[in-house]
Amino acid sequence: MSQVVINDSEVDIVIGALHSDLTSFMNEWKPIFSRFHLIIIKDPDLKGDLQIPGGFKADVYTKSDIERVIGSSSSVRFSGYACRYFGFLISKKKYVVCIDDDCVPAKDNSGNLVDAVAQHVLNLQTPATPFFFNTLYDPFRKGADFVRGYPFSLRSGVDCVLSCGLWLNLADLDAPTQALKPGQRNLRYVDAVLTVPARAMMPVSGINIAFNREAVGPALVPALRLAGEGKLRWETVEDIWCGMCVKVICDHLGFGVKSGLPYVWRTERGDAIESLKKEWEGVKLMEDVVPFFQSLRLPQSATTAEGCVVEMAKIVKEQLGKIDPMFSQAAESMEEWVKLWKSVGSG
Amino acid sequence: MSQVVINDSEVDIVIGALHSDLTSFMNEWKPIFSRFHLIIIKDPDLKGDLQIPGGFKADVYTKSDIERVIGSSSSVRFSGYACRYFGFLISKKKYVVCIDDDCVPAKDNSGNLVDAVAQHVLNLQTPATPFFFNTLYDPFRKGADFVRGYPFSLRSGVDCVLSCGLWLNLADLDAPTQALKPGQRNLRYVDAVLTVPARAMMPVSGINIAFNREAVGPALVPALRLAGEGKLRWETVEDIWCGMCVKVICDHLGFGVKSGLPYVWRTERGDAIESLKKEWEGVKLMEDVVPFFQSLRLPQSATTAEGCVVEMAKIVKEQLGKIDPMFSQAAESMEEWVKLWKSVGSG
């Protein structure tokens, strides 16, 4: 990895606690997390007290904290994986790094521990190149560059505001795929970061991401919720929906999105066959969601992330609302989220 | 690499000979090339006889062969790197693999020799996924799959018709970059193949490519030629122009383009400072070429690669011709190329 100078005071690590015993998780991450401020949000549905080892600068938020802040708001829900969005809302930092609590640090091909935070911040601090694909991947990486034919006028790039990391061991597959290939493990460490081209849509996973909160924080919105949403990643699509919102907004505002390094090592288990009951719903929704976002264009009058989310919510309601009431609810959550973001930001 | 069954009779290896002594080049490639039919085109500007070692099924074509086939045609020129296009024209095979004569087989991270032909054919024989980005790269690779959120309706993919390989050691940089960083070497072997998303433009290098000749052969057209074009890669842009033509045509016809593996090891030297005189011209042209191709849309009536090239030539003449006469010449070459392709194909 190239050297990166990280200002500790610019980074919040947000952890959504879906498991009450975080001891092992946090001890594994201690060498990487201990210098940063942590925001831990306890899933409101989770019973029992959180177990958090010492040695961290951590603030913990529970159901009562959430209720105090959101007040009478009812359309934005913070249960399950969505609890982390409360952390995004109350953070005051420039960068947010967010990693699922069933992941531990990965090792690279040389056996070195991967510093996921440093890599995410490096991704966010170096430009992205969404307007022309560089075949040698990230041109700003040490030893890399722009290849022949790359226009010089595009080489300064644009601000990167979303960094999507990957997973070793258990990949982020959907329940049907996992059920079909229960023994499959992702063991290929691909040593690359790339900018996802403008107008290309992608499935952003919430497992291991970071973003520039000042630039696009409000676009990371908890909106699409399955009726029978579960506590395993493959039983949710909130992050997939959120990722498409952010990607469209980045394309509209001229920001970049990167994918690739850093990897984390995923250990979550769970019964994929059992999850199929829930996940098929999410799988079916994608058939409408993806073409919708692919053709979505925001008005030029939307010049901020907040403004883009509001405009997007209107279009979601109009175009997707008639297909499934879940989409209308998502649109309401998006509108409500922007109001919350503004009130928390000014409060 | 996944197992791939290659039918030898479906593959031509096309080599443009810019150096007269091919002994070392061909001996290095013998373990990989010897089972296939080779088409070797001698650069018409090259003096002296070609030196080709035994043990290959090779047909060699020289200036007189080219003149015999193209007859009175004058706008398509086959000198320098463009000599290889003559091989594309006369091949009768489904797949063409083409590698510069200053490259030798690379080794992967485990030290194994990379079979570039097998990897290219695998890339071409497995589907591409241009309509949605898969964060775990090629989902058809062994151990990989589509990630959560990837629509099932898009998982069958589309035919991949162009496979763009990469380079270790000397990367394909332009002369200014090479002059600025003479010691730079690309040593990162990124173990990945990905589909370049639809509508994303890229600088296709001709150093190490393969394509489905039946599907898009006519789109690989020798067209844009610099006034002072040289014999080093960084003194040409013919492949960059050709690559953008192919990419736009693939997007239009619903085909896919992949980039990544296989790597080759590049050894070409040359004086980058000296080349700057020539290459600046190419560098400047890209500032007009890239936006042109990014906004280029072909009429629905164009349903074949030939038809697309003809339509594209018209638009090039109209829109770029007024900027520089080199573009008008490129448009003429494109029209002439399609005529040649038809006459050779039917002859």
Side-chain angles (χ1 to χ4, degrees), chain B residues 315-331:
Chain B
I315 306 171
V316 168
K317 193 170 284 181
E318 272 169 30
Q319 294 186 19
L320 289 180
K322 54 193 166 201
I323 297 176
D324 194 305
M326 257 184 288
F327 294 126
S328 304
Q329 286 159 23

Side-chain angles (χ1 to χ4, degrees), chain B residues 250-284:
Chain B
C250 285
D251 287 344
H252 177 77
L253 296 176
F255 292 132
V257 173
K258 292 180 188 171
S259 181
L261 303 182
Y263 281 90
V264 295
W265 184 269
R266 273 187 92 214
T267 58
E268 179 66 274
R269 309 249 151 207
D271 185 344
I273 310 281
E274 193 56 32
S275 296
L276 277 177
K277 296 178 217 164
K278 295 163 177 166
E279 172 60 10
W280 278 115
E281 193 185 6
V283 164
K284 280 179 286 183

Side-chain angles (χ1 to χ4, degrees), chain A residues 20-266:
Chain A
S20 55
D21 187 357
L22 295 179
T23 310
S24 159
F25 165 75
M26 294 192 63
N27 281 334
E28 293 266 11
W29 283 102
K30 191 173 258 177
I32 296 164
F33 283 177
S34 58
R35 56 184 278 214
F36 299 103
H37 177 242
L38 271 64
I39 296 177
I40 300 175
I41 315 293
K42 186 186 172 195
D43 175 5
D45 302 339
L46 186 64
K47 308 292 174 206
D49 289 336
L50 288 191
Q51 293 169 51
I52 298 171
F56 294 91
K57 292 168 281 187
D59 286 318
V60 178
Y61 298 85
T62 63
K63 190 173 183 180
S64 60
D65 299 305
I66 295 172
E67 285 171 348
R68 184 170 39 78
V69 170
I70 66 169
S72 62
S73 167
S74 60
S75 51
V76 178
R77 288 161 62 195
F78 292 104
S79 66
Y81 283 105
C83 71
R84 68 184 57 208
Y85 293 86
F86 185 75
F88 303 169
L89 186 66
I90 57 166
S91 167
K92 304 287 180 205
K93 302 291 174 63
K94 180 172 185 180
Y95 301 118
V96 166
V97 176
C98 186
I99 293 172
D100 275 7
D101 67 352
D102 53 12
C103 297
V104 298
K107 288 181 177 171
D108 67 17
N109 283 327
S110 307
N112 300 315
L113 201 73
V114 171
D115 184 340
V117 176
Q119 181 69 52
H120 272 308
V121 173
L122 179 67
N123 292 349
L124 294 171
Q125 285 186 342
T126 49
T129 53
F131 304 119
F132 200 63
F133 183 79
N134 192 52
T135 52
L136 281 185
Y137 310 100
D138 181 359
F140 295 97
R141 199 167 172 198
K142 202 178 166 191
D145 214 313
F146 290 97
V147 301
R148 182 171 53 96
Y150 206 103
F152 275 68
S153 60
L154 293 178
R155 293 190 186 198
S156 52
V158 300
D159 285 344
C160 177
V161 298
L162 179 65
S163 166
C164 305
L166 297 173
W167 340 274
L168 290 172
N169 192 35
L170 293 172
D172 188 19
L173 307 175
D174 47 56
T177 306
Q178 194 68 39
L180 204 67
K181 302 177 174 179
Q184 175 140 320
R185 296 292 179 272
N186 185 40
L187 299 174
R188 187 176 298 116
Y189 183 95
V190 175
D191 190 12
V193 177
L194 57 88
T195 295
V196 182
R199 303 291 174 215
M201 288 290 114
M202 63 190 291
V204 172
S205 165
I207 292 172
N208 168 25
I209 62 165
F211 58 95
N212 182 325
R213 189 181 170 279
E214 289 175 4
V216 289
L220 283 103
V221 48
L224 188 61
R225 200 169 180 83
L226 303 177
E229 183 151 312
K231 302 288 180 183
L232 295 164
R233 266 288 170 209
W234 57 47
E235 297 170 344
T236 65
V237 291
E238 51 78 20
D239 53 345
I240 305 293
W241 175 275
C242 164
M244 294 212 228
C245 294
V246 184
K247 183 63 168 63
V248 168
I249 290 172
C250 285
D251 288 344
H252 177 76
L253 296 177
F255 292 132
V257 173
K258 292 181 187 170
S259 180
L261 303 181
Y263 281 90
V264 295
W265 183 269
R266 272 188 92 214

Side-chain angles (χ1 to χ4, degrees), chain B residues 25 66 96 211 226-227 288-289:
Chain B
F25 165 76
I66 294 172
V96 166
F211 57 96
L226 303 178
D288 293 312
V289 166

Side-chain angles (χ1 to χ4, degrees), chain A residues 131 133 141-143 145 147-148 152-153 155 172 174 181 184 188 191 201 203 236 239 287 294, chain B residues 131 133 141-143 145 147-148 152-153 155 172 174 181 184 188 191 201 203 236 239 287 294:
Chain A
F131 304 119
F133 183 79
R141 199 167 172 198
K142 202 178 166 191
D145 214 313
V147 301
R148 182 171 53 96
F152 275 68
S153 60
R155 293 190 186 198
D172 188 19
D174 47 56
K181 302 177 174 179
Q184 175 140 320
R188 187 176 298 116
D191 190 12
M201 288 290 114
T236 65
D239 53 345
E287 302 298 333
Q294 280 174 333
Chain B
F131 303 120
F133 183 79
R141 198 167 173 196
K142 199 176 170 195
D145 213 314
V147 300
R148 180 170 55 94
F152 276 68
S153 60
R155 293 191 185 197
D172 188 20
D174 47 56
K181 302 178 176 179
Q184 176 140 318
R188 187 177 297 116
D191 189 13
M201 288 292 112
T236 65
D239 53 344
E287 302 298 332
Q294 279 174 332

Side-chain angles (χ1 to χ4, degrees), chain B residues 76-90:
Chain B
V76 177
R77 289 162 62 196
F78 293 104
S79 66
Y81 283 106
C83 70
R84 67 184 57 206
Y85 293 87
F86 185 75
F88 302 169
L89 187 67
I90 57 167

